[in-house]
Amino acid sequence: MCNPQNHELENRRRQRQQLTGLVDQTDVVSEYYVQPQMTQEQDTRSEHMRNYKIGSVRDAVRNVMGRNPYEALDALRSEERADMRRTRLHHSRGTRLAMGANEVLEFDIAGSGFKQFRSEHYGVKGKSNIEDYLQNAKKVKWYNRLFGFIPGIKSAREIREFNKAELRRVESELRAKRDRAGGGPVVYTRDEDLIRRYGEAQQISGRRREHIRKAVSPEKQDKTRITMAGPLEMSGARNSGDYSIENLREYIKQMGVDYIQQTTGNQNWLAHPHDIWIRLRGHSRGGVATIEGAMMIKKWVHDNMPDFEQHIRFDVTQFDPVPGFGSATGANERVDMTDQNVIREGTAEMMPLGDAAETTVVYSIHTDHPLWFTPQEVAHTKRIILTPNKHSVGLDVTDRQQSSQEKDAHRAAFTDAATGDAYRLSSLNEMPEGIYVLDEQNSMIRIHDEGQLNAILDRVLENTSGQDSRHEVIRRTVGAWFAAH
């Protein structure tokens, strides 16, 4: 007599073998991600989904598609043994490009009210000064602000000066340690690693910008990373000041052009020309600035270095790009990656990136902000991922799932339900081109039909209210993608 339990086990193993991204437990070479164990069906909607009455994406997908496209992945996730839940991992795209025959410049552009791009897996929430994240840094309390004039109580200014001095001390120790190593391997303290990641403040447009930092990684083939704050006026409520969208895109252009000129002016590069990758990631208003800054670099290269244009490659990921109240005009409101026309706004000139660029937009289908959060419409981007997450679209998540990576905390990973491949948010541009819907378990389904997608959205959003303009932009953007494919 057949044992039902053995039959179910065998059926599950047969299903999981459909995943092309499966990494066998005996494979010691492939990069892997251990999928979270999920042993039973349950309502795994987030607090955000419940608060805004966003329906289950999984239920909507299965209902509209008339089948269970999660079947193979669910079978794998039901395995008790962790080594039976390994799937291929895509991560650290910039580092991988730099390790090949490429030069790499990365931009991380923060959202409104953030001084650094959100990196909570790294202990950086993004709203403090870099020096405030050091281990010996002192926190400014309410009584420091009110009673700092009393002897024995440090003022807020004194604490800030102490933290700045601590930053300078760590920077000095880091430089000395690098000099002593002479290019050899270096073991960094947590504070040194933090400064190594963000680098020192930069002089740009005639001023030292405390929240524009540049770091070069010698151990990663001199990969360069530049981080910029998002708009900070009125705690980020206004698109104005030093870090407005318009200023950010200009800073991106200036620093991108400087990097390209320095690289192409090198005799070694001229003797053996190879690709220069300009990688940009941005959130919210920073996401709007990234695409516009990239298009400004593209226009400058086209006009000034036409012979080298084929070697300048773009890789852009926008996380819920939102121009905000009063700023949704011109390119901030809509851009088209395949348009042939030059965009002129004041002194800014932009050229659409075209088919050669790797581009992805991650949209929240219904955010935690009811007003003035209509996203930028990015027509003909290569990938669109629609998530049921809030405006942060996963950037606020710290993933501690086991993987082949050294550290135990990383950015969130989205998993392609058809293959099992897991993609960190840094490597979404390695996904096949297409339209994807993310469910409440971080599983992505690729959609091949506009009507099917609209039916899924109708079900997921049927009990929500407001944000009609956001929904319209998303449907138009998706419609344009399907029309072109």
Side-chain angles (χ1 to χ4, degrees):
M1 179 179 294
C2 178
N3 185 321
Q5 188 173 9
N6 290 341
H7 178 72
E8 172 61 25
L9 180 63
E10 183 59 34
N11 185 49
R12 203 165 63 226
R13 297 279 165 83
R14 193 162 47 245
Q15 290 171 344
R16 68 191 287 275
Q17 289 301 324
Q18 300 173 25
L19 299 173
T20 57
L22 195 67
V23 175
D24 190 89
Q25 60 266 38
T26 61
D27 185 343
V28 296
V29 177
S30 300
E31 299 273 19
Y32 67 83
Y33 178 76
V34 177
Q35 295 291 331
Q37 186 182 19
M38 296 179 181
T39 57
Q40 58 184 358
E41 284 292 326
Q42 54 187 344
D43 186 355
T44 53
R45 288 180 302 159
S46 65
E47 181 180 359
H48 168 68
M49 295 179 72
R50 294 173 188 272
N51 288 344
Y52 287 86
K53 299 180 180 179
I54 301 169
S56 167
V57 174
R58 289 174 66 85
D59 289 349
V61 166
R62 287 182 292 199
N63 191 296
V64 170
M65 288 189 166
R67 59 186 180 86
N68 183 8
Y70 303 105
E71 187 176 61
L73 183 60
D74 286 350
L76 177 133
R77 286 176 169 173
S78 69
E79 295 284 356
E80 292 186 6
R81 287 173 46 187
D83 61 1
M84 298 288 284
R85 287 184 269 114
R86 293 182 179 182
T87 60
R88 191 162 48 227
L89 175 65
H90 301 257
H91 69 96
S92 306
R93 177 168 166 80
T95 299
R96 290 171 183 271
L97 287 172
M99 292 302 184
N102 304 287
E103 307 293 334
V104 178
L105 172 64
E106 294 185 328
F107 288 93
D108 282 349
I109 315 299
S112 299
F114 286 80
K115 296 175 180 177
Q116 301 90 33
F117 190 74
R118 296 183 76 153
S119 300
E120 299 200 23
H121 66 293
Y122 206 78
V124 176
K125 294 183 178 296
K127 289 198 171 184
S128 298
N129 296 323
I130 281 295
E131 56 264 27
D132 296 333
Y133 291 109
L134 300 177
Q135 289 182 324
N136 290 333
K138 299 185 183 301
K139 304 296 182 185
V140 176
K141 307 291 186 181
W142 63 271
Y143 53 81
N144 300 120
R145 294 189 176 92
L146 294 178
F147 304 115
F149 61 93
I150 298 176
I153 298 179
K154 290 186 180 297
S155 68
R157 180 179 179 180
E158 287 176 316
I159 291 175
R160 284 194 291 269
E161 289 302 318
F162 173 86
N163 289 347
K164 287 181 180 178
E166 183 66 10
L167 174 64
R168 289 192 293 270
R169 182 187 68 79
V170 175
E171 287 176 342
S172 177
E173 289 181 355
L174 177 59
R175 286 192 291 268
K177 182 175 283 191
R178 282 175 169 166
D179 290 343
R180 288 195 301 272
V186 181
V187 177
Y188 300 103
T189 66
R190 188 266 181 196
D191 284 354
E192 289 168 346
D193 201 33
L194 179 72
I195 303 308
R196 183 175 67 101
R197 180 180 178 85
Y198 288 95
E200 299 183 8
Q202 298 294 296
Q203 188 88 8
I204 185 169
S205 294
R207 280 181 53 196
R208 184 178 186 273
R209 310 284 173 177
E210 185 64 30
H211 305 303
I212 298 180
R213 293 181 169 269
K214 177 181 175 181
V216 180
S217 300
E219 63 276 2
K220 296 178 181 178
Q221 298 295 103
D222 288 340
K223 184 187 74 168
T224 301
R225 175 191 278 123
I226 295 169
T227 60
M228 297 186 187
L232 300 177
E233 296 292 312
M234 293 180 61
S235 299
R238 292 179 55 190
N239 176 40
S240 60
D242 288 349
Y243 302 98
S244 67
I245 293 172
E246 292 70 26
N247 282 332
L248 287 171
R249 69 190 187 188
E250 179 62 32
Y251 302 153
I252 291 170
K253 176 198 169 185
Q254 287 184 36
M255 300 188 83
V257 167
D258 284 349
Y259 181 87
I260 291 169
Q261 287 181 312
Q262 289 174 15
T263 302
T264 55
N266 183 288
Q267 290 301 316
N268 290 333
W269 191 92
L270 288 170
H272 305 283
H274 49 274
D275 287 345
I276 300 171
W277 281 88
I278 311 296
R279 300 192 67 236
L280 304 99
R281 296 183 298 183
H283 176 228
S284 196
R285 285 195 180 108
V288 176
T290 58
I291 197 67
E292 295 177 15
M295 292 193 298
M296 289 172 72
I297 295 173
K298 172 81 171 179
K299 178 66 166 62
W300 187 92
V301 172
H302 180 78
D303 291 346
N304 296 279
M305 290 185 168
D307 293 340
F308 295 156
E309 191 170 5
Q310 62 178 320
H311 291 296
I312 311 302
R313 306 288 303 278
F314 292 90
D315 183 286
V316 185
T317 307
Q318 296 173 268
F319 295 97
D320 212 38
V322 173
F325 176 71
S327 300
T329 60
N332 290 356
E333 184 177 26
R334 185 182 187 277
V335 291
D336 187 335
M337 291 298 93
T338 59
D339 194 359
Q340 299 299 310
N341 297 317
V342 172
I343 302 168
R344 292 182 173 85
E345 294 185 356
T347 59
E349 292 190 341
M350 305 172 231
M351 176 176 286
L353 299 184
D355 290 335
E358 294 297 340
T359 54
T360 298
V361 180
V362 184
Y363 285 122
S364 164
I365 58 174
H366 200 84
T367 77
D368 46 330
H369 299 283
L371 299 174
W372 305 314
F373 266 71
T374 302
Q376 181 186 46
E377 185 175 342
V378 187
H380 303 117
T381 185
K382 284 190 175 179
R383 303 162 196 81
I384 298 174
I385 304 174
L386 306 180
T387 83
N389 300 334
K390 51 190 178 181
H391 177 53
S392 55
V393 292
L395 290 173
D396 57 337
V397 173
T398 296
D399 185 355
R400 297 188 180 278
Q401 279 296 116
Q402 183 184 343
S403 74
S404 54
Q405 292 176 275
E406 291 181 1
K407 296 181 180 179
D408 62 354
H410 301 276
R411 292 197 187 278
F414 295 169
T415 298
D416 186 342
T419 65
D421 284 40
Y423 297 85
R424 295 278 184 215
L425 299 190
S426 63
S427 299
L428 296 178
N429 280 338
E430 293 183 2
M431 292 166 47
E433 296 177 28
I435 306 296
Y436 296 85
V437 175
L438 185 79
D439 75 354
E440 52 270 34
Q441 296 180 5
N442 276 355
S443 310
M444 295 182 295
I445 295 295
R446 188 176 178 186
I447 307 297
H448 299 277
D449 177 83
E450 182 181 1
Q452 195 174 62
L453 179 63
N454 283 329
I456 291 169
L457 291 178
D458 287 344
R459 286 180 175 273
V460 172
L461 299 173
E462 62 182 345
N463 293 318
T464 62
S465 60
Q467 304 191 34
D468 291 345
S469 59
R470 168 173 283 269
H471 304 157
E472 289 168 5
V473 165
I474 288 173
R475 291 179 193 264
R476 272 202 311 272
T477 305
V478 168
W481 192 96
F482 280 117
H485 292 78

